[in-house]
């Protein structure tokens, strides 16, 4: 369970939000909305620990996030705006390294299956730099299939994706929520996820 | 922890192999700078022999700094650096891996090339050996100190100029002991004392700089 209490964010001289509180339980989806520059990405970066909150506290399983630098990162998967892929490496190599970072590298067979499911079956051996924006995004999102993190934090996961891929990612989210996973995401699109419990958070400017 | 270190080094080496131009730039810069001096100063062997060690060391210093910009900037741009910050293990290990990879890519070729270009300065075999040993101990220090500068200036405008202002003063002890080792060997005093000091500096840099650079990265990425 992820709890956020009285969170505030200041970027530069501007106060983006303050006294923000919510909690997400297993199987729950939080959709963060708001205009450009309202602090959606900042909120997500705070949730994964890249940005320190100006005030307030974030708790994971009842414990403050700052006090467990090992447990929390192991339970969380963050896919940000940049895809985090090296153009010179193939999709296979990129994903192998990404999984090795979080502990154990996934087997080639498993990565191949994940890429095939994301519709990149024949392109696993091409350097990522040769792929289109949408295909790069698909490769980055294949990380979701390879991890067993319970909390997913996704910043605009649907950008550059075509219709089929959007549906695929939505079904991935549904599967994860059914397995008692937690998801926080930002999007400007209409989300069609059959989530048993869905919260919406609108960041006003 | 060791497997993480191995993964980071392997990744950076793979990237360097696929982006060979970057590696060769550093090496060519070193060779060209070292070769220009005899052409400019003139072929008097006595003068050249006296300035050889200094020129080679300054060229190695500048060449190593030339490649510092790439150390974290590329990872910062494509988002892989954020993933490094979010791993369950220590970020210092990743930074140490990147320092070692940077040295293997930009330091080792210089070390291997130095005795060959050093011949232009009429250095004796003992002096060339001392040069090789001092560069072998000194270039990893340059990579380690450089990592701190690169991490501090990450994402800043004009970071390239700033990094040289930050890092060059810290390179001074390495330059003094490195060039001093060759001079001592030339004058027959023996280079052991200088090399021991370089070794001590290397150990200090390897212990402190991954940790310092990791802290600097966390600050820069905010």
């Amino acid at each position: 369970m992820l709890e956020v209490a009285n969170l505030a964010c200041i970027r530069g001289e501007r106060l983006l939000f303050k006294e923000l509180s919510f909690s997400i339980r297993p199987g729950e989806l939080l959709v963060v909305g708001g205009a450009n520059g309202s602090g959606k990405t900042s909120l997500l970066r705070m949730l994964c620990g890249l940005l320190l909150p100006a005030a307030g506290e974030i708790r994971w399983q009842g414990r403050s996030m700052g006090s467990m630098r090992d447990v929390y990162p192991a339970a969380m998967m963050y896919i940000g705006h940049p895809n985090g892929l090296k153009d010179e490496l193939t999709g296979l190599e990129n994903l192998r390294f990404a999984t090795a970072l979080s502990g154990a590298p996934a087997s080639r067979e498993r990565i191949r299956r994940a890429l095939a499911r994301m519709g990149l079956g024949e392109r696993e051996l091409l350097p990522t730099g040769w792929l289109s924006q949408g295909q790069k995004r698909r490769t980055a999102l294949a990380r979701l299939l390879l991890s067993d993190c319970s909390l997913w934090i996704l910043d605009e996961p649907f950008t550059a994706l075509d219709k089929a891929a959007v549906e695929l990612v939505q079904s991935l989210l549904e599967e994860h929520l059914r397995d008692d996973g937690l998801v926080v995401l930002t999007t400007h699109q209409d989300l069609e996820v059959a989530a048993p419990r869905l919260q919406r958070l609108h960041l006003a400017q | 922890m060791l497997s993480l270190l191995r993964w980071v080094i392997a990744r950076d080496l793979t990237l360097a192999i696929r982006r060979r131009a970057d590696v060769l730039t550093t090496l060519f810069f070193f060779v060209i700078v070292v070769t220009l001096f005899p052409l400019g100063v003139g072929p008097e062997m006595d003068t050249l022999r006296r300035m050889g060690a200094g020129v080679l060391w300054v060229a190695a210093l500048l060449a190593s700094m030339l490649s510092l910009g790439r150390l974290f900037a590329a990872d910062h741009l494509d988002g892989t650096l954020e993933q490094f910050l979010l791993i369950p293990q220590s970020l210092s290990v990743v930074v140490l891996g990147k320092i070692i990879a940077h040295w293997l890519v930009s330091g080792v070729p210089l070390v291997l090339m130095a005795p060959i270009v050093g011949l232009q300065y009429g250095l004796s075999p003992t002096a060339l050996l001392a040069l090789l040993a001092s560069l072998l101990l000194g270039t990893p220090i340059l990579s380690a100190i450089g990592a701190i500068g690169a991490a501090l200036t990450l994402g800043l405008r004009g970071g390239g100029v700033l990094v040289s202002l930050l890092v060059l003063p810290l390179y001074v002890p390495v330059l003094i002991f490195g060039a001093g080792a060759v001079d001592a060997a030339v004058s027959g005093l023996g280079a052991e004392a200088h090399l021991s000091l370089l070794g001590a500096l290397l150990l200090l840099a390897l212990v402190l700089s991954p940790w310092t650079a990791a802290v600097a990265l966390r600050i820069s990425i905010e």
Side-chain angles (χ1 to χ4, degrees), chain A residues 11 45 84 86 88 93, chain B residues 18-19 75 78 82 222:
Chain A
R11 295 303 278 161
R45 288 169 66 86
K86 282 282 166 199
E88 293 86 353
E93 289 166 330
Chain B
R18 304 219 176 138
R19 234 179 353 200
D75 287 348
D78 58 27
E82 281 180 353
E222 274 204 359

Side-chain angles (χ1 to χ4, degrees), chain A residues 11 45 48-52 69-71 73-74 76 78 80-90 93-94 96-98 100-103 105 143, chain B residues 3-4 6-12 14-15 18-19 22 73-89 94 98 218 221-222:
Chain A
R11 295 303 278 161
R45 288 169 66 86
C48 57
L50 285 171
L51 203 63
L52 286 179
R69 276 232 160 127
D70 44 347
V71 184
M76 178 209 55
Y78 171 68
H81 231 271
N83 286 321
L85 303 169
K86 282 282 166 199
D87 278 353
E88 293 86 353
L89 301 182
T90 67
E93 289 166 330
N94 264 312
R96 229 170 120 72
F97 182 72
L101 272 185
S102 52
R143 282 173 60 207
Chain B
S3 85
L4 177 63
R6 226 180 36 232
W7 272 103
V8 174
I9 297 174
R11 184 197 79 142
D12 275 21
T14 316
L15 288 175
R18 304 219 176 138
R19 234 179 353 200
D22 288 354
D75 287 348
H76 183 46
L77 275 183
D78 58 27
T80 35
L81 194 64
E82 281 180 353
Q83 292 177 18
F84 285 145
L85 292 172
L86 294 174
I87 57 170
Q89 299 173 68
V94 176
K98 289 194 75 76
R218 282 195 192 279
I221 207 100
E222 274 204 359

Side-chain angles (χ1 to χ4, degrees), chain B residues 63-196:
Chain B
S64 162
M65 218 180 54
L66 194 67
S67 55
L68 277 184
R70 294 195 304 274
L71 192 54
F72 298 115
D75 287 348
H76 183 46
L77 275 183
D78 58 27
T80 35
L81 194 64
E82 281 180 353
Q83 292 177 18
F84 285 145
L85 292 172
L86 294 174
I87 57 170
Q89 299 173 68
S90 166
L91 178 61
S92 311
V93 180
V94 176
V95 176
L96 180 64
K98 289 194 75 76
I99 290 173
I100 294 174
H102 178 263
W103 176 66
L104 289 174
V105 168
S106 72
V108 171
L110 301 194
V111 176
L112 297 177
M113 196 53 104
I116 301 168
V117 289
L119 287 175
Q120 301 174 81
Y121 292 85
L123 294 175
S124 63
T126 31
L128 284 176
L129 203 66
L131 177 70
L132 192 72
S134 69
L135 280 172
L136 201 60
L137 284 170
T139 42
I141 311 180
L142 302 182
S143 296
I145 295 176
I148 304 176
L152 280 172
T153 54
L154 190 66
L156 296 182
R157 261 170 298 166
V161 184
L162 203 57
V163 87
S164 38
L165 284 177
L166 269 174
V167 158
L168 277 180
L170 295 171
Y171 278 177
V172 168
V174 188
L175 174 66
I176 291 173
F177 293 123
V182 186
D183 281 338
V186 169
S187 58
L189 286 173
E192 285 83 5
H194 289 92
L195 293 181
S196 309

Side-chain angles (χ1 to χ4, degrees), chain B residues 23-39:
Chain B
V23 184
L24 293 176
T25 313
T26 317
L27 188 62
F28 279 136
F29 177 83
F30 176 70
V31 172
I32 288 170
V33 169
V34 171
T35 314
L36 283 178
F37 269 85
L39 295 176

Side-chain angles (χ1 to χ4, degrees), chain A residues 87-165:
Chain A
D87 278 353
E88 293 86 353
L89 301 182
T90 67
L92 196 72
E93 289 166 330
N94 264 312
L95 289 171
R96 229 170 120 72
F97 182 72
T99 48
L101 272 185
S102 52
S107 70
R108 282 168 202 283
E109 199 38 54
R110 200 168 160 216
I111 296 174
R112 274 202 195 100
R113 274 205 306 275
L115 282 172
R117 180 145 182 223
M118 297 307 291
L120 295 164
E122 309 99 66
R123 294 184 178 76
E124 62 194 25
L125 294 176
L126 278 183
T128 311
W130 294 14
L131 301 179
S132 75
Q133 283 304 324
Q135 288 171 328
K136 283 182 191 170
R137 199 65 181 156
R138 285 178 187 226
T139 312
L141 289 166
R143 282 173 60 207
L144 295 174
L145 289 165
L146 298 168
S147 83
D148 35 56
C149 298
S150 53
L151 171 61
W152 291 0
I153 300 181
L154 312 174
D155 196 356
E156 299 280 354
F158 304 116
T159 37
L161 290 185
D162 59 21
K163 224 171 189 172

